[in-house]
Amino acid sequence: MLKPEPQHSAYDVVIVGGAMIGSAIAWHLACRLDFPGRILVVERDPGFRQASTSLTNSCMRQQFSTPLNVRMSQYCAAFARDFREEIGDGAAPRIHVQAFGYLYLADNEDFAAHLRRVQTMQAGLGAGTRILSRADMERRFPYFDLDGIILGSFNDRDEGYFDGATMLDWWRRMARRRGVETVHGEVVAISRTQNRASAVTLARGTRVNCGWLVNAAGTRAAELAAMAGIAGLPVEPRKRYTYVIAAENPPSPELPLTIDPSGVHMRSDGAHYMIGAAPVDDTPVDSDDFSFDHSLWENRVWPAIAARVPAFERVRVLNEWVGHYAYNRIDRNAILGPHPKLDNFLFANGFSGHGYQHAPAVGRGIAEWIVHGRWQSLDLEELTFARVAQGAAGGETAVI
Ligand SMILES: Cc1cc2nc3c(=O)[nH]c(=O)nc-3n(C[C@H](O)[C@H](O)[C@H](O)COP(=O)(O)OP(=O)(O)OC[C@H]3O[C@@H](n4cnc5c(N)ncnc54)[C@H](O)[C@@H]3O)c2cc1C
C-alpha cells in the first residue's frame, strides 16, 4: 500500500509516473553511488490498471529501422540475461525469455527492399536478423499459407517474449530499499520560476519542490508537459487490441511474433497464442477511453490470422483487452531528456509501442543525464525534444 503524502517538502528528483519507465529511472538513479539525492515517485494509479505497462505484450526485438533502437533493445537483452547481477541481489529470479523470434512478412517489392536494407544495418550491429526466401519459410514454418508473400525477415536470437513484469517488480522493490519514496497521488499543477520547473502540486493540495522533474506519465505525458507550460508534446493515446486464443489444432509451440502484411500480428503465448491489432480507425483517443470494439475480431483480426495460418480457422478467444500506446505522432519514437528552455524538465515519453524493452536503456540514460548532464553509455541525443521543435522527419518505421 503506497503512502499518500511525501515525507519531505523538497526532493532532488520528482518522477511523475511509477510504471515501467518511471521505475526504471528511479532504480537506475538510486543505484548510482555518485547520486546522493532524494527521489520521489508520484503515481496516480498504483494498481497500474490503465498503464501501458500492465496491458503490454512484453516482447523485445532488434528488428527496428533505426540503429539507436536496435542498440537500446540489445541493452534490454543483456540486462535480462544478467538480471541477477544487475539488480544486485542473489535472491532475484532469472528473467524468463522465450526467443521465438519476430518474423516480418513482405508482400510487395518496396517492403521487401526495405527489409533487406534494415537487415544489413541490424546485422552490422550484431543482431541475428536474416532474410528468408519463401522456400526457406515453407520449410521452417510449414503451418503458414504464404500466398502472396515474397520474403521474410527473421531473428530468433534475443527476440521474443521477456518477463518485464518481474523486472518492474524488482526495480520497485530495490528502489524502495535504496530509499526511493513512492506516493499514491496525482500531479495536477507544476510551478515555474524562469527556466526551471520548481514544484509540483498533488490533487490533495500538497506542494513538493523539485530539483529535477521527470515526465514518465505515459499516455498522459502531453497533459503533464502542458502543466509546465510546454505546448504541443506530440504524444497521444492510441488503442491497441490484444487477444489470447486457444487453437483446436495448435500450429506450433514456437510461432514467431509474425507481422502479417494485414497489420495483424500473432505469436506463441505458452500453450496458447497472442494476437495483436490496431483499430481500423487508428486515431487518438481519450486517456480514459478503454471501450472495446467487439466487431474488430470478427471483421478484421480472425480473417487475417486464419488466412495466414489455416489452423487458426478453429480457435477460441480466452481473453481480450484494449490498451493504449503513448504514440509519438511525429516520428513514432521516444522523446527523451531535457526541454531546451525548461532545462530541469526531463522527458521520458512517446515510446509508441516499444517502451517496455527500452526501459533499461532509458532508465540508465536519464540517470546519467541527471548526474552528469550528458549521455554516457549510449548517445540518446537523436531522441531529444529538439527534433520535435524542428518538425522531425524520418523516425522509426517498424512500429506494430
Ligand atoms: C497492447 C500493447 C502492447 C505492447 N507491447 C509491447 C511490446 O511487446 N514490447 C515493448 O517494448 N513495448 C510494448 N508496449 C509498449 C509498452 O508497454 C510501453 O511503452 C511502456 O509500458 C510504457 O511505460 P511507461 O511507464 O512510459 O507508461 P505507462 O505504463 O502508461 O505508465 C505511466 C504512468 O504514469 C502515471 N501518471 C500519468 N499521469 C500522472 C500524473 N499526473 N500524476 C501521477 N501519475 C501519473 C499513470 O498512472 C501510469 O501508471 C505495448 C503497449 C501496449 C498498450
Side-chain angles (χ1 to χ4, degrees):
M1 184 85 161
L2 295 181
K3 293 200 176 101
E5 286 298 329
Q7 293 184 358
H8 304 279
S9 58
Y11 290 80
D12 297 281
V13 179
V14 172
I15 301 171
V16 185
M20 196 66 175
I21 293 293
S23 297
I25 296 168
W27 176 78
H28 275 87
L29 193 53
C31 281
R32 295 193 63 117
L33 299 175
D34 50 3
F35 180 78
R38 259 189 210 139
I39 304 168
L40 177 71
V41 178
V42 186
E43 173 52 59
R44 68 190 288 280
D45 170 20
F48 301 131
R49 282 163 309 136
Q50 294 190 339
S52 308
T53 291
S54 305
L55 302 167
T56 190
N57 292 352
S58 199
C59 285
M60 62 176 168
R61 60 181 154 124
Q62 289 161 47
Q63 293 189 67
F64 282 101
S65 66
T66 65
L68 184 52
N69 281 339
V70 178
R71 289 202 179 93
M72 290 170 80
S73 288
Q74 287 174 330
Y75 180 56
C76 180
F79 193 87
R81 197 162 40 239
D82 302 333
F83 184 67
R84 199 176 275 171
E85 295 71 30
E86 291 280 0
I87 207 81
D89 186 327
R94 299 263 171 234
I95 296 294
H96 175 60
V97 174
Q98 194 189 354
F100 42 65
Y102 274 60
L103 175 65
Y104 284 83
L105 296 176
D107 67 347
N108 63 73
E109 278 305 337
D110 281 354
F111 190 50
H114 169 79
L115 289 178
R116 283 195 203 94
R117 229 177 5 255
V118 293
Q119 184 275 337
T120 307
M121 177 274 290
Q122 292 157 6
L125 293 172
T129 318
R130 53 202 189 277
I131 297 296
L132 302 184
S133 67
R134 187 162 153 172
D136 294 334
M137 288 189 285
E138 279 163 355
R139 266 192 303 278
R140 179 152 186 165
F141 313 112
Y143 44 84
F144 281 135
D145 179 338
L146 292 171
D147 189 32
I149 298 301
I150 301 172
L151 57 75
S153 175
F154 179 63
N155 175 23
D156 58 356
R157 199 169 74 215
D158 290 335
E159 286 201 4
Y161 166 83
F162 75 104
D163 181 4
T166 295
M167 220 179 244
L168 170 64
D169 184 38
W170 278 80
W171 279 337
R172 297 179 75 205
R173 184 189 301 219
M174 297 301 279
R176 194 166 54 237
R177 225 185 267 177
R178 289 175 180 273
V180 173
E181 230 185 284
T182 302
V183 291
H184 176 190
E186 178 168 8
V187 171
V188 292
I190 296 174
S191 312
R192 282 181 68 156
T193 43
Q194 291 168 340
N195 64 337
R196 296 186 66 77
S198 51
V200 296
T201 304
L202 308 191
R204 286 179 301 276
T206 312
R207 188 184 152 101
V208 181
N209 293 328
C210 56
W212 293 90
L213 182 53
V214 182
N215 183 347
T219 56
R220 296 173 194 268
E223 290 167 36
L224 192 80
M227 291 178 208
I230 299 167
L233 184 72
V235 177
E236 55 199 31
R238 297 264 189 119
K239 284 186 183 178
R240 288 295 180 273
Y241 287 79
T242 301
Y243 307 84
V244 177
I245 61 168
E248 196 172 294
N249 299 304
S252 163
E254 287 277 296
L255 175 67
L257 198 157
T258 305
I259 299 97
D260 189 69
S262 63
V264 175
H265 57 92
M266 55 195 117
R267 69 161 168 96
S268 284
D269 184 39
H272 301 130
Y273 298 91
M274 188 177 275
I275 316 298
V280 177
D281 182 18
D282 185 14
T283 49
V285 296
D286 190 89
S287 0
D288 288 315
D289 175 6
F290 289 85
S291 59
F292 199 92
D293 173 5
H294 290 280
S295 69
L296 191 72
W297 169 258
E298 205 66 28
N299 295 339
R300 176 167 143 82
V301 179
W302 187 31
I305 61 169
R308 188 62 60 210
V309 180
F312 285 161
E313 279 290 351
R314 298 173 74 83
V315 295
R316 198 159 40 93
V317 177
L318 303 176
N319 194 6
E320 58 189 13
W321 65 86
V322 64
H324 291 166
Y325 277 6
Y327 192 86
N328 172 352
R329 66 173 170 270
I330 292 191
D331 64 6
R332 302 158 302 279
N333 239 342
I335 299 169
L336 302 178
H339 183 266
K341 296 207 174 109
L342 200 63
D343 51 20
N344 70 332
F345 187 100
L346 300 178
F347 298 99
N349 305 119
F351 295 99
S352 308
H354 42 270
Y356 217 53
Q357 65 202 283
H358 285 173
V362 172
R364 182 182 63 178
I366 296 287
E368 287 172 354
W369 188 275
I370 288 173
V371 176
H372 294 291
R374 63 191 162 87
W375 313 114
Q376 288 189 305
S377 309
L378 192 57
D379 185 354
L380 302 174
E381 193 58 30
E382 72 183 58
L383 296 179
T384 58
F385 187 84
R387 77 185 194 281
V388 174
Q390 291 155 8
E396 182 54 58
T397 57
V399 168
I400 59 179

